[in-house]
Amino acid sequence: MFMLKKKDKKNRNFNAYELGYSLPADKFRPFFEDFSEKFKKDGLDPFLDEFNRLDGVNVDNYYRQTDVSFGESEALVEGILTYRGNALRNGATYGVGDIKDGEFSTTWKMEFDKSIALSDNLDFVGQPVIIKWDETKKPILKLNESKKSKETLIEIIYATPDGYVYFLDMENGSYTRQPLKLGCPVTGTGSICPDGTPLYVVGSGDCSEKANSKIYVIDLIEGKIIYTFGERSNYAMELPEEKYDFSSAGLFSLASDCLITQGENGVIYSYSIHVNMGSSEMQTSFAQKAEYTYTINDGEGSVEYAEFKSSPAAWGSYLYTTDTKGNIVCTNVNDWSTVWIRDLGASCNATPCIEVDEADGTAYIYIGTSLNLDEGKKTKGTAYIYKLNAANGDVIWRRSY
């Protein structure tokens, strides 16, 4: 494991109430022990260096005005509202399937136009989100009239590499409204606010010649883009154009009206979103726009920035991210302090999945790595799957393949 940068606290106590769970104190023992002697013994002295920015200004310290806390399941409407369903990333299904003879069957099929795709990464096409609209919301959505009058509407919202967002009826695949043009390809998965507020957030993939990659906030009442962020930032590391991808699926925290997402540019974004719902329209404003990134010093003069191709997972006020350098990092999103970091032994593009033990409330993380090629080999190597303690990063088990 890496130790924290030297200016960080070394004896921060976990608070069960911070995490949103009432647990015995010994489940969250102090973790920030002084690992200096251990690192010297192992011949290692790596540490993390962090950078924060608030509303466009670099800051040394950051504290949220309203604490963020993610519950086990915050969804107040039916559907799959983000990648793998929720903040724990453990809810990838919705409803009950009618499977006959043990086989899946195709009900309908929708294909985007690959001939006009703005991305070459068609192997990395993201997933749609699904929402069953509340009957009080459906009349104000700019839907086709036949869909407004439909008794039950389950809408599929799917952003694709051809640069469009498609809106489809889950029953038969027909359009519920006109596609929305983004102008940038999408190879990741979007997110809808879990309380049914008609906001959809999705990031674009690799940049085209016509537009810069960015994160879009879309008003699902009007079906239009109301805000973008993440365009090339002087705060982020200087990467080639193709590194400015946003394939992560963001997370909404209902307790604090906060959106958290991240990008391949190495930045984690935390934006407060204030929504005023009227009888037929929605007014939205953005505040406390915080950004966070880190570099890793291997102790030998090599400094590397994080790159995020996966989506973050969250438990209570703690965010779990994996980077392409092979680390999984636990961060307190209320002050952007690093709780723990673990080297997984290989690059990681996967999203953590969190399991909460119902018996005692202990949380565990499941995560797998990419293939770490053997020296001189192009197709042979080792990949790892871990089960970790979410509170401290301890390895419960590791399997290699």
Side-chain angles (χ1 to χ4, degrees):
M1 292 185 65
F2 291 90
M3 75 184 234
L4 299 174
K5 61 179 183 177
K6 296 177 176 58
K7 67 179 181 181
D8 280 339
K9 305 170 190 173
K10 292 185 175 168
N11 291 292
R12 175 179 171 81
N13 292 319
F14 284 97
N15 184 328
Y17 296 100
E18 271 185 71
L19 291 170
Y21 299 93
S22 180
L23 299 177
D26 62 356
K27 296 296 179 186
F28 290 94
R29 71 189 192 288
F31 177 69
F32 287 100
E33 305 166 12
D34 188 348
F35 287 102
S36 300
E37 293 304 315
K38 179 181 184 305
F39 283 125
K40 291 176 183 177
K41 180 180 177 182
D42 295 342
L44 299 172
D45 188 24
F47 62 96
L48 203 68
D49 204 4
E50 300 159 308
F51 307 92
N52 298 289
R53 192 167 73 165
L54 181 63
D55 294 330
V57 179
N58 293 341
V59 294
D60 292 329
N61 298 296
Y62 169 77
Y63 300 96
R64 288 198 58 83
Q65 296 173 358
T66 304
D67 281 356
V68 173
S69 182
F70 292 91
E72 185 167 348
S73 178
E74 293 195 314
L76 303 180
V77 293
E78 295 181 71
I80 302 176
L81 308 178
T82 186
Y83 178 67
R84 295 195 61 81
N86 54 37
L88 300 182
R89 307 295 186 184
N90 66 359
T93 61
Y94 165 76
V96 178
D98 182 16
I99 301 174
K100 299 177 180 179
D101 301 323
E103 295 182 356
F104 291 102
S105 59
T106 301
T107 303
W108 55 264
K109 181 168 65 173
M110 172 264 182
E111 293 186 356
F112 62 88
D113 189 348
K114 293 183 180 180
S115 68
I116 63 169
L118 300 174
S119 171
D120 294 328
N121 295 327
L122 299 184
D123 292 335
F124 298 94
V125 176
Q127 299 177 0
V129 293
I130 303 171
I131 182 169
K132 180 181 179 181
W133 285 112
D134 185 276
E135 292 302 313
T136 62
K137 295 280 196 327
K138 200 165 60 172
I140 64 174
L141 302 176
K142 292 296 192 297
L143 299 168
N144 298 338
E145 287 304 319
S146 61
K147 302 303 180 182
K148 275 192 177 185
S149 59
K150 188 174 182 178
E151 184 175 348
T152 300
L153 176 64
I154 301 175
E155 189 174 38
I156 293 175
I157 302 175
Y158 193 17
T160 66
D162 64 5
Y164 284 85
V165 180
Y166 294 94
F167 305 90
L168 309 170
D169 188 332
M170 193 176 79
E171 183 179 21
N172 53 29
S174 60
Y175 285 134
T176 57
R177 52 179 112 182
Q178 289 300 306
L180 173 64
K181 184 176 181 179
L182 299 179
C184 276
V186 175
T187 54
T189 301
S191 300
I192 298 177
C193 191
D195 66 353
T197 298
L199 280 177
Y200 174 64
V201 176
V202 68
S204 61
D206 54 353
C207 300
S208 69
E209 296 178 357
K210 298 179 180 179
N212 289 324
S213 188
K214 57 182 72 72
I215 299 166
Y216 300 86
V217 182
I218 296 169
D219 179 340
L220 291 175
I221 295 178
E222 298 292 335
K224 67 179 183 181
I225 300 165
I226 58 172
Y227 191 75
T228 64
F229 61 96
E231 293 95 334
R232 277 190 166 274
S233 167
N234 58 10
Y235 173 70
M237 55 184 167
E238 288 302 321
L239 290 171
E241 288 288 342
E242 64 269 16
K243 295 296 184 181
Y244 278 77
D245 296 3
F246 298 97
S247 52
S248 297
L251 292 173
F252 288 94
S253 170
L254 297 182
S256 59
D257 296 327
C258 177
L259 167 70
I260 295 178
T261 190
Q262 61 193 30
E264 198 172 339
N265 61 354
V267 179
I268 301 175
Y269 301 86
S270 171
Y271 281 27
S272 294
I273 303 179
H274 304 294
V275 177
N276 183 17
M277 282 294 301
S279 58
S280 61
E281 63 180 7
M282 177 174 62
Q283 294 181 340
T284 308
S285 61
F286 299 82
Q288 202 177 2
K289 293 174 276 191
E291 300 171 0
Y292 164 83
T293 193
Y294 60 83
T295 59
I296 299 167
N297 187 329
D298 66 358
E300 298 179 357
S302 176
V303 177
E304 295 182 325
Y305 281 88
E307 296 175 36
F308 305 114
K309 291 186 176 181
S310 58
S311 297
W315 179 50
S317 57
Y318 294 90
L319 193 75
Y320 301 90
T321 56
T322 59
D323 62 45
T324 58
K325 307 306 177 185
N327 304 295
I328 180 168
V329 182
C330 174
T331 307
N332 184 326
V333 296
N334 290 319
D335 60 9
W336 287 131
S337 61
T338 303
V339 181
W340 55 260
I341 177 171
R342 176 166 288 280
D343 184 353
L344 298 173
S347 176
C348 190
N349 299 328
T351 296
C353 177
I354 302 174
E355 172 192 38
V356 180
D357 189 321
E358 295 182 359
D360 62 8
T362 302
Y364 300 97
I365 296 171
Y366 297 89
I367 187 65
T369 71
S370 303
L371 183 68
N372 189 24
L373 293 175
D374 294 338
E375 186 175 353
K377 302 292 184 180
K378 294 183 178 180
T379 58
K380 292 184 178 181
T382 305
Y384 305 97
I385 297 178
Y386 290 83
K387 179 178 181 178
L388 306 174
N389 186 311
N392 53 37
D394 285 351
V395 176
I396 307 302
W397 53 254
R398 184 183 80 164
R399 301 287 182 269
S400 59
Y401 300 90

